[in-house]
Amino acid sequence: GLGVRFDFIVGVCDSKIRMNQCRFLELGRYRKMVAIPQSHPLAAKESLTLQDLDGQTMMMVPEGDSGTNDRIRAFLRENCPGLRLEDTQRFYDVSVFNRAAETGKLLLTIECWKDVHPALKTVPAEWDFTIPYGLMYALDAPEDVKAYVEVARGQVEAGGNP
């Protein structure tokens, strides 16, 4: 695990559960997008409007652990009441992508996962939601890991890549 087998994990992190188990240095942000099964009529679109989502079912993580996803859920409830929201497991794995592809449901995802499943096409929607990604490291990280994080933090603050 983190701090035992790995010094760092690079990934998306907006989870209260994970943030209580590790430290996090934000390196950037990914856009929240929608994965659509290739067989779905909306897969022909290059972007989605809220009207496109009306009458559809979209899978997403359950409410309560991710501030970003909770804001998206609230936005969709208010602005797209005809969209049905279906909870997935708290953290996506390949089974979640498979379920979207097999059931024909939409899936809330992120731009960096656009090629993760061959039967899904990922497109932007008419919103401006993003989620942070970065370095996750142990709460009790050793000094060399802390030193690396400080160097990386300096690079990020200077507008460069660590």
Side-chain angles (χ1 to χ4, degrees):
L2 191 57
V4 178
R5 292 183 49 209
F6 307 102
D7 289 330
F8 303 101
I9 297 174
V10 176
V12 170
C13 193
D14 181 6
S15 163
K16 293 175 191 167
I17 292 170
R18 283 214 176 125
M19 294 304 284
N20 286 330
Q21 300 170 345
C22 70
R23 296 185 189 279
F24 179 72
L25 172 63
E26 183 176 326
L27 299 176
R29 300 186 75 83
Y30 287 125
R31 289 184 301 161
K32 294 294 285 190
M33 299 175 78
V34 179
I36 307 166
Q38 294 284 4
S39 59
H40 195 288
L42 291 179
K45 297 192 66 100
E46 292 304 314
S47 66
L48 298 175
T49 66
L50 294 177
Q51 292 77 20
D52 292 330
L53 298 176
D54 190 54
Q56 302 297 321
T57 298
M58 185 162 60
M59 301 177 351
M60 65 183 297
V61 297
E63 196 166 6
D65 185 48
S66 163
T68 300
N69 289 306
D70 289 353
R71 284 188 295 280
I72 294 170
R73 184 182 292 268
F75 171 82
L76 291 171
R77 283 180 177 152
E78 182 178 332
N79 296 290
C80 195
L83 174 67
R84 291 177 300 280
L85 298 174
E86 179 180 304
D87 289 348
T88 64
Q89 58 205 40
R90 191 156 305 282
F91 302 108
Y92 289 4
D93 63 17
V94 71
S95 70
V96 173
F97 293 93
N98 285 339
R99 192 165 92 220
E102 292 164 4
T103 62
K105 295 175 182 171
L106 309 181
L107 177 65
L108 185 66
T109 188
I110 53 179
E111 65 184 300
C112 66
W113 293 344
K114 66 182 176 57
D115 298 319
V116 78
H117 198 289
L120 298 173
K121 176 185 176 188
T122 300
V123 299
E126 64 174 28
W127 60 56
D128 192 28
F129 291 104
T130 61
I131 194 162
Y133 72 88
L135 291 178
M136 290 173 264
Y137 58 102
L139 291 170
D140 59 349
E143 290 307 313
D144 62 336
V145 170
K146 291 178 185 176
Y148 178 83
V149 169
E150 288 313 308
V151 169
R153 185 182 320 280
Q155 290 292 313
V156 169
E157 289 171 359
N161 292 321

